[in-house]
Amino acid sequence: MLNNTIALTGQLETVQQAKDFLLKITPDGYQKVLKPHFASSAGAHMRHILDHYLALKDGVTHGLVNYNKRNRHSNVESCLTTALATWSEIEAWLHEVSELDADLAISVICETSVNETQNTQTKSTLARELVFVSSHAIHHFSLLGVISSLLGNASSANFGVAPSTATYLRQQA
């Protein structure tokens, strides 16, 4: 991959994994909170993942990514159809944004403390933030895989597996 291009394939794999998960879970399972193991539903995790993608999408337009902006309790959290539609929106956006310079400068703001409100603003690039949101999604996919298992459902073999782990496992085979 050239320095100024964006690897679209991996980004689209993340989107497809999310869509596959959404097509396999029931509406009740999507909204169920499995206490004491989890404090939030699969839908809340999916909404959280999408919030990050939407923050990046907005940030590319405005030059500032604000990962603090959340859409808590939106329809994405409770409705599979809305979540699928939002992933389709992200997929279309990824095709568009892949044509931009990977080194496009972006400022990023996010909170960094749980004990007090403490925001940090830093400089980044489009490619770096795409790597972050995909990695963040995969991390939450692993949690969604556990939720799915607790609901009695199986996930695909690579759901929630980091790309570097998948490479390692292929090399071990």
Side-chain angles (χ1 to χ4, degrees):
M1 178 175 91
L2 299 174
N3 189 39
N4 65 345
T5 62
I6 295 169
L8 186 58
T9 305
Q11 293 292 325
L12 296 177
E13 286 174 359
T14 302
V15 170
Q16 192 58 53
Q17 285 187 359
K19 287 180 168 183
D20 290 346
F21 174 85
L22 291 167
L23 291 170
K24 292 177 184 173
I25 194 166
T26 66
D28 287 341
Y30 189 64
Q31 295 179 42
K32 188 176 182 82
V33 178
L34 298 168
K35 292 182 179 184
H37 306 292
F38 289 90
S40 55
S41 66
H45 281 276
M46 193 62 73
R47 187 264 318 145
H48 174 75
I49 296 164
L50 285 164
D51 281 351
H52 281 69
Y53 274 96
L54 293 170
L56 179 56
K57 181 178 181 237
D58 184 63
V60 168
T61 302
H62 295 100
L64 175 66
V65 178
N66 184 352
Y67 288 123
N68 297 335
K69 183 181 177 188
R70 305 294 170 84
N71 299 303
R72 289 178 173 91
H73 311 295
S74 72
N75 285 345
V76 167
E77 204 168 300
S78 58
C79 178
L80 291 167
T81 303
T82 303
L84 280 164
T86 305
W87 275 110
S88 291
E89 174 188 327
I90 294 301
E91 183 176 19
W93 173 74
L94 286 169
H95 282 282
E96 292 171 17
V97 82
S98 71
E99 301 297 320
L100 298 177
D101 185 346
D103 294 325
L104 177 71
I106 298 174
S107 292
V108 177
I109 188 168
C110 68
E111 288 196 47
T112 56
S113 174
V114 295
N115 295 313
E116 63 183 349
T117 301
Q118 186 178 84
N119 288 294
T120 299
Q121 186 167 335
T122 188
K123 294 179 182 179
S124 189
T125 65
L126 173 58
R128 176 65 191 108
E129 294 310 306
L130 283 168
V131 168
F132 166 70
V133 294
S134 179
S135 178
H136 176 257
I138 292 164
H139 162 75
H140 278 276
F141 289 171
S142 67
L143 296 171
L144 289 170
V146 173
I147 290 172
S148 185
S149 176
L150 290 171
L151 290 170
N153 303 321
S155 297
S156 65
N158 286 327
F159 189 67
V161 176
S164 60
T165 300
T167 295
Y168 171 78
L169 293 173
R170 281 190 302 273
Q171 291 171 345
Q172 300 304 304

